[in-house]
Amino acid sequence: GATKKGITQRTLDAWLASTQAPAQDVREITPEQVEAIYFKNYWVASNCPTIPEPLDLCVFDLAVNAGPRRAIKLLQQALTVTMDGILGSDSIRALQVDIEAGKVDTLTSHYLDLRKAFYQGLVNKNPSQAVFLKGWLARVDALMKECNKHV
């Protein structure tokens, strides 16, 4: 379906209904609406306010691309805790251990490596998705460059 700035028509429809705003085509989404949806549906929904920089950006970006649950599951995989898609107490404790050990940059790099593997896995399961792989990997590489600015 129609998508703009990573927001699908379905996501916009749900957000508009929740704010009691009139229906509109996603192609006409305003920057203010994009910001509000990003904040509520992806930043907050992925618990990014509790995640240190630059890892928070990586989790947020995958949340927009693949959904908050997938973004958190990948973080849990990087933390080697149960992957349930909910950033609960076990995940937060594991994250805190890495933060206190000064391993946020290593964790961020590992997260992005896992993200590349996730995309490759999608293509392995469904070869028709190969058309998107180059763009997905370029997105991860660009994100890594952005993360390196924070180091």
Side-chain angles (χ1 to χ4, degrees):
T3 303
K4 186 170 182 183
K5 304 273 186 190
I7 298 172
T8 64
Q9 183 67 56
R10 184 176 171 186
T11 298
L12 177 61
D13 291 345
W15 184 79
L16 291 170
S18 76
T19 61
Q20 300 179 344
Q24 75 181 66
D25 190 298
V26 73
R27 290 172 288 207
E28 297 172 7
I29 195 168
T30 67
E32 294 79 19
Q33 290 170 320
V34 169
E35 185 176 332
I37 292 169
Y38 276 178
F39 181 75
K40 178 184 176 202
N41 289 26
Y42 304 108
W43 182 259
V44 173
S46 299
N47 294 74
C48 289
T50 66
I51 300 170
E53 289 184 3
L55 182 58
D56 58 348
L57 176 63
C58 299
V59 173
F60 168 74
D61 187 70
L62 184 57
V64 172
N65 186 246
R69 188 171 175 88
R70 170 59 58 201
I72 292 170
K73 279 185 172 184
L74 202 69
L75 176 59
Q76 291 170 323
Q77 184 178 357
L79 293 167
T80 63
V81 297
T82 301
M83 293 171 42
D84 60 7
I86 301 166
L87 197 64
S89 58
D90 289 346
S91 301
I92 292 170
R93 267 194 301 277
L95 179 58
Q96 193 60 41
V97 167
D98 280 1
I99 293 168
E100 290 172 6
K103 295 182 179 178
V104 174
D105 294 335
T106 302
L107 181 60
T108 299
S109 181
H110 184 50
Y111 185 85
L112 293 174
D113 288 342
L114 289 171
R115 185 169 171 179
K116 287 181 176 184
F118 166 72
Y119 290 136
Q120 187 62 59
L122 291 178
V123 171
N124 292 346
K125 288 179 189 169
N126 185 352
S128 70
Q129 299 297 301
V131 66
F132 302 112
L133 186 59
K134 184 177 178 182
W136 288 336
L137 297 179
R139 181 180 180 132
V140 176
D141 289 340
L143 190 54
M144 178 54 87
K145 286 179 185 172
E146 185 62 32
C147 290
N148 286 336
K149 292 178 183 178
H150 294 273
V151 176

